[in-house]
Amino acid sequence: MASLGRFVSAVSQFANSRGVYAGRRTAKIHARVYRWSRGRLGGHLPGHPRGHILLLEHVGAKSGIRRTSPLMYVTDGAAVAVAASKAGQPEHPGWYHNLLAHPETTIEIGGEVRAVRARVADAAERDRLWPRFVAMVPDFGFYQRRAASRTIPVVILEPR
């Protein structure tokens, strides 16, 4: 891992271990920059060239409000998979609950919008995909240790 990657991971882990989670605070800005640049800016995690980011559209399970979340992903054939890590926080991220209620959605990778259907990976699929998240960005291993009693779900976004 390059020096920038180690620095980004160290800062992230330091903040997360002290209860600082910036996910919701930065999502709108990240999505605007990502869309404006068609993914050239905000399309990967700084210092982690394999840490690719997509934009996930989701509708609030209770509110019905449409939201966008930037998430790291791995490809899995024609599908992509995302991890509901919430940086190791004790609860699942809001987008995860929203996808359970409204699985038909869209993702944006670069400038391409794709219609997908979300489903939670079964145990065998998660066991196969989780090491790919950790290899892509080692922070995922930290997130799982930090999440302790919560197994971080992997969500598969299949083309529809």
Side-chain angles (χ1 to χ4, degrees), residues 26-153:
T26 61
K28 287 182 182 180
I29 295 167
H30 191 152
R32 281 190 202 124
V33 170
Y34 187 104
R35 285 189 174 121
W36 174 80
S37 70
R38 299 180 55 83
R40 287 185 298 281
L41 299 173
H44 76 277
L45 184 64
H48 297 278
R50 295 187 312 167
H52 296 287
I53 296 173
L54 59 73
L55 297 181
L56 171 73
E57 294 292 320
H58 51 99
V59 175
K62 295 179 186 174
S63 69
I65 296 171
R66 180 167 289 283
R67 293 188 168 89
T68 303
S69 295
L71 302 170
M72 283 185 275
Y73 70 95
V74 296
T75 57
D76 188 39
V80 297
V82 292
S85 68
K86 197 173 181 184
Q89 299 300 306
E91 67 281 338
H92 296 316
W95 64 260
Y96 175 78
H97 300 289
N98 294 344
L99 288 181
L100 293 179
H102 305 285
E104 304 282 326
T105 191
T106 60
I107 58 173
E108 189 170 341
I109 298 177
E112 178 189 358
V113 176
R114 302 178 190 180
V116 295
R117 179 171 179 79
R119 68 175 179 81
V120 179
D122 64 30
E125 290 170 317
R126 187 196 182 281
D127 288 347
R128 177 176 57 81
L129 292 168
W130 185 254
R132 294 183 55 201
F133 282 98
V134 176
M136 173 181 66
V137 177
D139 292 3
F140 280 102
F142 169 78
Y143 299 157
Q144 184 58 76
R145 288 188 303 278
R146 180 153 167 71
S149 62
R150 171 173 88 88
T151 299
I152 295 173

